[in-house]
Amino acid sequence: MSDSISVTRAQLEEVISHLNECTDAYLFIFDLHADTYYISPYALKTFDLPAAKFGNASETILRIVYPDDRAVLATDLEQIRLGSKDVHSLEYRWVNKNGKPIWISCRGKMLWAENDELLVGRVSIIDDLDKLDLLTGLPTESQMRTDFNVEWAKQQKVSGFLLKIDIDNLGNINEQYGMRTGDKVIALVAECCRKASEGTASAYKLHGDEILCMNLTGKNATDAKKLYQRLKRYIADAEQEIEYEVVFTVSAGAVAFFNDPSKPDDLIKKLNYSLVEAKRKDKNNLTMYNAVDYTRHLRAIGLQERLRESIKDNFRGFELYFQPVVNAKHLYLDKEETVYNVIGAEALLRWSCPELGRLAPDEFVPLLEKSGLIIPVGRWILLTAFNQCREWNLLQKHFRMSVNLSYIQVKKSDVLTDVQIALTKSGVNPRNITLELTESGYMNSDHELQELLDAFQAMNLNIDIDDFGTGYSNLRYLQYLHANTLKLDYTFVHKATSGDEGDTKVIKHITQMAHELNMTVCMEGVEQKTDVEKLQQFAPDKFQGFLFGRPMSATQFKEHCLRPDDRYM
């Protein structure tokens, strides 16, 4: 039975009008017999209602109810009218003035006031991120997980796809046009996602500016790609509608799956990786998940952590190998021409771990640079190489040690101080140390690089420009750097030794120009004696390559390459 009260409807409305001043909820009275509705005037700010009090209430209320939720509301109200229940308790969606669905919690109870049948209660907007994103009107990640788990629970597996969208350069839009415009862009993209997903997927708003479209009904990668193409067309239309007030693009990552037992977190990790790849590939594109690439990515993450652990454990697993550098003008020390005139070595980093053994530098050095771990490792290299040079200088006074400086190491650390500390601790003669810098990394920072080289030369250090001939190779670069040696990259040298006439001429003129600038020239990648014969015509000063020795440990180098000064006097 419904409760009966002794006040009139007018008195009840007056009481509720006062209470509306004291709550964020919208208090209401719904007269089911007269079909009139009274609600807090504050509701009119958010929802398109004709007034605080209006007639034809059933039809008017249904007009602002989200279409998918109208049936459940109508059924509930019909049960109340028939007397089968006297309590109304639903969570469903009203559509706001901007046309966005907003989740509400509606609670009410039937009361009798004289002869009136009144449903009295309150409407509260659910804004706790568990149901709805207020900016876009899309359900949130929490709701997405709920929907996923409901579907997964049916068979403990799912088939379909996840597509994650991210607005490119939203930070720049916020900075240039303001946060309000940025929010407008997010709302536009969300609406485009909703439209593009119709009939294929459900759209959800994630944190920040990311939106996820989810299908769990067996759609595949092709469907995900088609959805993304529809989305881009809708975005183009939206930009035209706002008269190109702001132009924006979206990147997306997607993962498709079939009878997959994975839970959301596992799939989202793959999804996030695919999105990062899309952003890395110039943005405004879709990247589908690739298992091989993802496995490689996971391996890189694991390697990076092992590298970090090795560094913390006093650089366990790190070692320097040394490749000989020979005098190209006086190639042999003996008349029989069997002993190469080794005048120095290039220090090369090696690393191994118990689980994986020794790894190739091409695999772990980029990880060191990307993570910034090259900075502490670089300091270790400097000190280790300088100490080794000082030790070998006791046998070969003018032996020179070459040490590579990473571009990241130079840009993100106080490399001048690091070098000075290594010089002081090792006690090596700085004239026996050569620092190698790769030319391509500094093409846009000429002045900064020149200052660095000037400081190194003031310390009496030698400077080599490494890998010249790859990438940018600017001849103007040589005019002002005043480096000691120009090292021609091995791929460049190989083309000349294989008979490439164009590269042969280029090497000839570069070598001649370097000599005119008082620089010596080292040619890398010399592998056969015939290479030496072909390259000698250019009058190089140094050679380096497998012909003279592969990178080797300090013990091996001392045994096979180091020549005490008194041995060939």
Side-chain angles (χ1 to χ4, degrees):
M1 287 291 294
S2 301
D3 293 336
S4 177
I5 58 176
S6 59
V7 297
T8 65
R9 183 177 64 186
Q11 290 172 323
L12 186 59
E13 288 179 2
E14 182 177 359
V15 171
I16 287 182
S17 68
H18 289 294
L19 292 176
N20 274 324
E21 301 291 334
C22 309
T23 177
D24 291 331
Y26 308 134
L27 302 181
F28 70 88
I29 303 173
F30 188 0
D31 188 329
L32 300 179
H33 178 72
D35 200 24
T36 60
Y37 199 93
Y38 169 77
I39 192 168
S40 167
Y42 296 112
L44 276 61
K45 295 181 179 181
T46 303
F47 303 103
D48 191 16
L49 295 168
K53 186 175 181 179
F54 51 88
N56 194 24
S58 298
E59 183 177 337
T60 302
I61 290 295
L62 281 178
R63 279 204 300 266
I64 68 166
V65 174
Y66 191 64
D68 291 353
D69 298 339
R70 288 172 183 169
V72 67
L73 175 61
T75 299
D76 191 79
L77 293 178
E78 183 64 20
Q79 291 176 341
I80 291 175
R81 287 192 179 97
L82 294 174
S84 60
K85 60 185 294 186
D86 62 0
V87 173
H88 171 67
S89 180
L90 282 179
E91 290 184 356
Y92 59 102
R93 287 164 287 187
W94 280 5
V95 177
N96 68 10
K97 288 185 174 182
N98 295 323
K100 305 298 183 185
I102 294 180
W103 282 93
I104 64 164
S105 169
C106 189
R107 301 287 186 270
K109 183 175 177 61
M110 285 299 299
L111 299 176
W112 287 90
E114 296 183 342
N115 293 322
D116 295 320
E117 299 175 352
L118 306 178
L119 179 63
V120 180
R122 59 102 177 112
V123 171
S124 298
I125 292 177
I126 301 174
D127 59 356
D128 59 359
L129 300 181
D130 285 336
K131 289 287 186 183
L132 188 81
D133 176 70
L134 294 181
L135 173 63
T136 64
L138 294 179
T140 63
E141 180 176 349
S142 175
Q143 185 64 45
M144 180 275 294
R145 290 176 178 273
T146 297
D147 294 346
F148 185 100
N149 290 332
V150 168
E151 192 65 29
W152 185 91
K154 294 177 181 179
Q155 294 182 314
Q156 285 74 53
K157 56 187 178 183
V158 287
S159 297
F161 67 80
L162 299 180
L163 177 94
K164 191 173 184 181
I165 296 99
D166 180 86
I167 300 170
D168 297 327
N169 303 316
L170 182 64
N172 293 341
I173 293 174
N174 287 331
E175 184 175 350
Q176 184 174 358
Y177 301 103
M179 295 291 291
R180 181 169 296 183
T181 298
D183 286 348
K184 183 177 181 180
V185 169
I186 293 174
L188 282 172
V189 171
E191 178 61 17
C192 291
C193 288
R194 185 189 64 77
K195 291 166 61 178
S197 298
E198 287 179 353
T200 302
S202 298
Y204 302 84
K205 174 67 167 58
L206 307 183
H207 297 296
D209 62 324
E210 294 179 336
I211 297 167
L212 184 142
C213 300
M214 179 171 72
N215 171 273
L216 299 177
T217 62
K219 298 292 185 180
N220 56 32
T222 300
D223 298 305
K225 293 174 183 178
K226 290 180 179 178
L227 191 159
Y228 178 69
Q229 293 304 320
R230 288 197 300 273
L231 171 61
K232 294 183 76 170
R233 290 196 295 270
Y234 282 126
I235 287 176
D237 292 342
E239 289 175 330
Q240 185 175 11
E241 289 174 7
I242 63 175
E243 298 181 341
Y244 301 101
E245 173 187 344
V246 60
V247 177
F248 50 92
T249 60
V250 296
S251 296
V255 55
F257 38 87
F258 179 74
N259 287 339
D260 194 323
S262 301
K263 288 297 187 73
D265 285 341
D266 294 328
L267 292 173
I268 288 174
K269 287 177 183 178
K270 299 175 181 178
L271 186 64
N272 289 340
Y273 166 75
S274 300
L275 179 58
V276 169
E277 286 297 291
K279 302 285 277 189
R280 185 179 64 82
K281 298 174 182 175
D282 298 325
K283 305 179 181 178
N284 193 28
N285 70 90
L286 165 67
T287 296
M288 296 298 303
Y289 167 75
N290 181 287
V292 174
D293 290 343
Y294 186 61
T295 300
R296 189 180 297 118
H297 167 69
L298 294 179
R299 174 179 169 86
I301 292 175
L303 285 180
Q304 183 172 306
E305 187 55 35
R306 288 187 173 95
L307 286 164
R308 192 184 310 277
E309 292 171 355
S310 294
I311 292 168
K312 291 173 63 176
D313 191 12
N314 197 31
F315 299 94
R316 173 180 50 83
F318 286 98
E319 185 179 5
L320 288 186
Y321 268 40
F322 304 91
Q323 185 172 28
V325 177
V326 302
N327 187 331
K329 294 188 178 300
H330 182 46
L331 195 57
Y332 300 99
L333 290 174
D334 61 334
K335 294 180 180 180
E336 293 76 20
E337 296 187 349
T338 59
V339 180
Y340 289 116
N341 185 9
V342 177
I343 57 175
E346 180 179 357
L348 300 168
L349 184 64
R350 297 293 183 264
W351 177 69
S352 60
C353 66
E355 300 85 358
L356 300 171
R358 173 159 291 172
L359 277 80
D362 287 349
E363 184 171 14
F364 73 84
V365 171
L367 294 177
L368 290 173
E369 293 182 327
K370 182 179 179 180
S371 64
L373 294 173
I374 192 64
I375 293 174
V377 171
R379 296 186 183 115
W380 177 86
I381 292 172
L382 288 170
L383 184 57
T384 304
F386 289 9
N387 279 330
Q388 189 64 76
C389 185
R390 179 188 55 79
E391 178 184 328
W392 286 344
N393 285 153
L394 297 177
L395 298 174
Q396 193 171 328
K397 183 177 180 181
H398 299 294
F399 181 91
R400 287 186 176 180
M401 181 70 73
S402 296
V403 181
N404 291 282
L405 292 182
S406 162
Y407 175 74
I408 302 299
Q409 186 182 359
V410 172
K411 294 295 291 185
K412 296 188 176 182
S413 69
D414 186 358
V415 71
L416 282 173
T417 299
D418 293 341
V419 169
Q420 185 60 66
I421 290 174
L423 288 172
T424 301
K425 286 186 174 181
S426 65
V428 70
N429 183 346
R431 297 185 186 278
N432 290 336
I433 295 296
T434 298
L435 300 178
E436 295 191 7
L437 295 94
T438 302
E439 51 104 3
S440 60
Y442 301 90
M443 296 308 296
N444 296 320
S445 53
D446 292 352
H447 178 70
E448 183 178 344
L449 178 58
Q450 183 59 62
E451 288 184 347
L452 178 66
L453 297 191
D454 289 345
F456 284 147
Q457 288 166 344
M459 295 175 168
N460 294 317
L461 295 163
N462 302 286
I463 303 298
D464 283 4
I465 303 302
D466 194 18
D467 291 343
F468 194 85
T470 62
Y472 301 92
S473 295
N474 193 330
L475 296 180
R476 180 184 61 83
Y477 193 76
L478 303 179
Q479 296 178 358
Y480 69 90
L481 291 183
H482 306 118
N484 299 93
T485 299
L486 186 67
K487 300 185 73 174
L488 296 184
D489 179 68
Y490 73 95
T491 57
F492 200 31
V493 172
H494 279 188
K495 290 181 180 179
T497 57
S498 63
D500 189 300
E501 184 176 349
D503 284 295
T504 298
K505 290 180 179 179
V506 171
I507 288 179
K508 175 182 177 181
H509 291 300
I510 289 178
T511 303
Q512 182 179 348
M513 184 173 60
H515 285 157
E516 290 174 355
L517 293 171
N518 296 318
M519 299 174 65
T520 59
V521 174
C522 177
M523 294 186 176
E524 300 181 287
V526 180
E527 297 182 351
Q528 303 177 37
K529 287 190 176 183
T530 54
D531 293 341
V532 173
E533 296 169 0
K534 294 174 182 178
L535 296 173
Q536 286 284 18
Q537 62 177 306
F538 306 122
D541 303 279
K542 305 172 189 176
F543 284 138
Q544 186 176 343
F546 291 166
L547 174 63
F548 313 106
R550 292 176 178 270
M552 61 193 82
S553 68
T555 300
Q556 292 170 328
F557 189 94
K558 181 178 180 181
E559 179 182 352
H560 298 292
C561 300
L562 200 64
R563 309 303 175 193
D565 290 332
D566 58 359
R567 185 170 178 179
Y568 291 95
M569 292 182 64

